[in-house]
Amino acid sequence: MKTARARSHLIIHIILIAGIAITVFPFLWMIFTSFKTLPESMKIPPTILPESLNTESYQYVFDVLPFAKIYLNTVFVTVLTVLFQVAFCTMAAYGFARIEFPFKNALFLILLAILMVPGQIFLIPQYLIIQNLGLANTIPGLFLPNLFSAFGTFLLRQFFMSLPKELEEAALLDGCNRFQIFGKIMLPLVKPGIVALVIFTARFAWNDFMWPLIVNSDPQKMTLAPSLSLLKGQYATNYPVQMAGAVLAVIPMIVVFVIFQKQFIEGVAQSGIKG
């Protein structure tokens, strides 16, 4: 019995280690390639480790692009997107989960319908609105269409619905109004969901490629994702330079995940405990 159990545990660990290796290998390849020279990156058969730590690709990225400005733009857009989405989604989710009002279920089905269609169909209407407002090639034009999220509302609604109604009833008996119940009682209890939404939203805003590329053509107003596409040459691709830009782009998201990984995993695990 013990031998069979130990064997099954060994097989499970081997499978898990293989899965981790498959997942981590592309990221390690990206890092190692960023320190290679161009001829070294194009060797056949390819080599994994660089012969020496060559940092010219990183220097080239900062020489070609206004990388500090692009970084600040991306941080600014990401922070504002996260703040507004958390504010709007928590209020909308609380309303759908806890407050009775006419046509609530119909409105929620319409909200869910947004999740069932490709986001690309909204690009042209959004661009026309931003252009008519005179916000093309501006920083506000980057984040204004992303101030609300149907997914975030659905995610947080699941958390609010999992909380016992007795908490609200007791608060109402104590004289609390809806805003006090929402801010002082409900929000602290759905903290794991809010953290999960923050990470999802930050990742989306940080990596958003299509919308910034459409609405902006000024390099000084661009964010990281579309800016990295400028590192691709017209006739040839400098792989170490592209990998160096990618490494610089993913570092902040890795730091955010490492800091909040416990809350993120808890939030995702709890998001579906009650429908």
Side-chain angles (χ1 to χ4, degrees):
M1 178 68 79
K2 291 183 178 180
T3 303
R5 184 179 299 176
R7 188 178 301 166
S8 65
H9 285 175
L10 178 62
I11 294 173
I12 291 173
H13 280 82
I14 291 175
I15 294 174
L16 291 175
I17 292 172
I20 293 172
I22 293 172
T23 304
V24 173
F25 180 75
F27 180 70
L28 294 178
W29 181 272
M30 176 180 69
I31 296 176
F32 293 148
T33 304
S34 69
F35 289 105
K36 294 179 180 179
T37 61
L38 180 58
E40 190 180 357
S41 69
M42 302 178 70
K43 277 186 178 180
I44 299 177
T47 58
I48 297 177
L49 296 176
E51 295 177 358
S52 61
L53 291 180
N54 176 36
T55 60
E56 291 181 1
S57 296
Y58 289 91
Q59 184 61 47
Y60 182 83
V61 170
F62 283 97
D63 291 340
V64 172
L65 297 176
F67 217 77
K69 179 65 174 176
I70 292 171
Y71 243 116
L72 289 176
N73 293 343
T74 310
V75 171
F76 184 71
V77 170
T78 301
V79 169
L80 285 182
T81 303
V82 168
L83 290 177
F84 278 104
Q85 281 206 19
V86 169
F88 292 147
C89 291
T90 50
M91 290 187 288
Y94 178 72
F96 280 118
R98 293 303 198 182
I99 300 175
E100 294 298 328
F101 54 90
F103 309 110
K104 181 177 80 170
N105 293 332
L107 290 173
F108 188 68
L109 287 176
I110 294 174
L111 183 73
L112 292 180
I114 298 175
L115 299 175
M116 301 175 189
V117 296
Q120 288 79 4
I121 67 173
F122 302 115
L123 289 176
I124 294 177
Q126 288 176 346
Y127 177 77
L128 292 176
I129 292 172
I130 293 298
Q131 187 181 47
N132 291 333
L133 291 174
L135 296 176
N137 279 319
T138 65
I139 298 298
L142 294 174
F143 63 82
L144 283 178
N146 299 319
L147 298 186
F148 180 77
S149 167
F151 168 76
T153 302
F154 172 76
L155 177 71
L156 292 177
R157 175 182 174 270
Q158 302 302 101
F159 280 87
F160 283 119
M161 291 186 68
S162 69
L163 301 177
K165 292 184 177 180
E166 289 77 11
L167 290 172
E168 288 176 294
E169 294 172 355
L172 288 171
L173 289 175
D174 288 338
C176 293
N177 56 40
R178 280 291 182 185
F179 291 102
Q180 291 172 325
I181 294 173
F182 171 71
K184 296 182 179 180
I185 297 175
M186 292 299 178
L187 281 185
L189 294 176
V190 297
K191 182 181 176 182
I194 293 175
V195 172
L197 177 61
V198 166
I199 294 179
F200 281 128
T201 305
R203 185 196 62 82
F204 165 78
W206 190 270
N207 296 327
D208 191 16
F209 175 80
M210 185 64 69
W211 176 248
L213 189 65
I214 291 173
V215 78
N216 265 349
S217 58
D218 184 357
Q220 295 291 331
K221 303 289 176 56
M222 280 191 177
T223 53
L224 276 169
S227 298
L228 294 180
S229 65
L230 301 177
L231 296 176
K232 185 178 181 180
Q234 184 176 0
Y235 302 106
T237 300
N238 192 326
Y239 295 107
V241 170
Q242 282 196 314
M243 295 301 105
V247 170
L248 293 172
V250 302
I251 287 175
M253 288 295 98
I254 294 175
V255 172
V256 169
F257 179 77
V258 169
I259 294 174
F260 296 107
Q261 60 178 323
K262 180 180 178 181
Q263 292 87 344
F264 173 72
I265 295 171
E266 183 180 354
V268 174
Q270 291 184 6
S271 61
I273 54 180
K274 186 176 181 180

